[in-house]
Amino acid sequence: MSGMKRIQSPRSMQELGLEWRRQGICVGLVPTMGYWHEGHLSLMRWAREHCDLLVASIFVNPTQFGPGEDLENYPSDIERDSALAAECGVDVLFTPYKAEMYLPGHGTWVNVPELTKNLCGRSRPGHFQGVATVVCKLFNLVQPTFAAFGEKDWQQVAVIRKMTRELDIPVRVEGRPIVREADGLAMSSRNVYLTAEERAVAPHIQKGLCLLEGMVRAGERDCGALRKAVRDYYAAWIPSGVLDYLELVDPETIETVDHVHSDFLAAVALRLGKARLIDNKRINLEK
Ligand code: AMP
């Protein structure tokens, strides 16, 4: 395929996707909500190296936003994203029309309840139902061989993996590492909501997780003590932040662990001004 193509009609996308599948072409998909940063681009560059045809999608999916969340203000710059897509070697930029993704009366949903009781599933009811449903639709429309997702949204990758496996969807799900700013803040489209003061203290979100890892590696096994130390750290260094959750969970089941295992995930969500920021750290004591 020469030159990047932009497709807005879900039906046209599906016709093309089905044709590619018939031809046995390896198609990579990177689903996004746009306003790209290096985190998105790293997924595209990685996918580019592993497929024949690369599709990136931009869709600010209304069904994954709860009441009072930032759906209306979600940042967007389609011109810039388009230019970046072309630079990354994207073959098709799929930006579906909202009205064609959800027809009036839409009432079919994908739910993965076991993995969504904790973390963001608890603080954003309905969020993962919206995510799983839209990703399932994107898989059916694009018919990719694989799709790449960022581990910044660890729970999201776990949900999509389980959905794909249990619904026999023939797509390989690839989780990719978190991309950070030089000072450690996990990149996010929502970082633009931060004021200069908030941006200056935001790197402490990750530093708190590093503190936790240091304590575990030094022998601390008491989850209560670990969480208290990080909560105290956030209270001291990000006094204007409101902690939504700080949990130690099993990386696959997303269930809270009572005792530190050899392999677990520390996950945090913190509200800072207008932004709700998430981050996580996998801590594997065998590595
Ligand atoms: P979003 O546009 O925020 O829905 O994100 C689209 C994809 O990019 C998801 O798979 C995210 O997990 C991934 N992503 C977002 N931020 C980062 C980051 N800092 N590092 C790696 N992947 C990311």
Side-chain angles (χ1 to χ4, degrees), residues 45-157:
R45 292 195 195 104
W46 181 84
R48 177 68 283 172
E49 294 196 349
H50 292 85
C51 65
D52 302 320
L53 281 176
L54 176 58
V55 180
S57 65
I58 299 180
F59 183 60
V60 181
N61 173 37
T63 66
Q64 71 188 68
F65 287 77
E69 290 188 353
D70 56 347
L71 174 62
E72 306 309 328
N73 308 318
Y74 197 82
S76 128
D77 188 343
I78 190 72
E79 297 307 317
R80 180 170 172 274
D81 290 349
S82 267
L84 290 169
E87 268 173 44
C88 288
V90 168
D91 296 295
V92 171
L93 184 61
F94 179 43
T95 55
Y97 299 119
K98 207 179 282 179
E100 293 186 23
M101 283 295 270
Y102 293 105
L103 298 176
H106 180 98
T108 304
W109 303 102
V110 182
N111 272 293
V112 188
E114 274 77 25
L115 294 188
T116 55
K117 289 185 198 114
N118 216 345
L119 310 185
C120 290
R122 178 179 297 158
S123 42
R124 302 182 70 190
H127 169 68
F128 285 114
Q129 170 179 288
V131 169
T133 303
V134 81
V135 170
C136 183
K137 285 168 71 68
L138 290 169
F139 284 1
N140 284 329
L141 293 171
V142 177
Q143 301 278 319
T145 312
F146 70 84
F149 297 87
E151 289 176 347
K152 182 173 84 84
D153 301 273
W154 184 281
Q155 190 174 19
Q156 170 170 284
V157 187

Side-chain angles (χ1 to χ4, degrees), residues 31-33 37 39-40 43 74 149-150 152-153 177-179 187:
T32 80
M33 298 204 298
H37 49 67
H40 298 113
L43 294 176
Y74 197 82
F149 297 87
K152 182 173 84 84
D153 301 273
I178 303 177
V179 177
M187 290 195 181

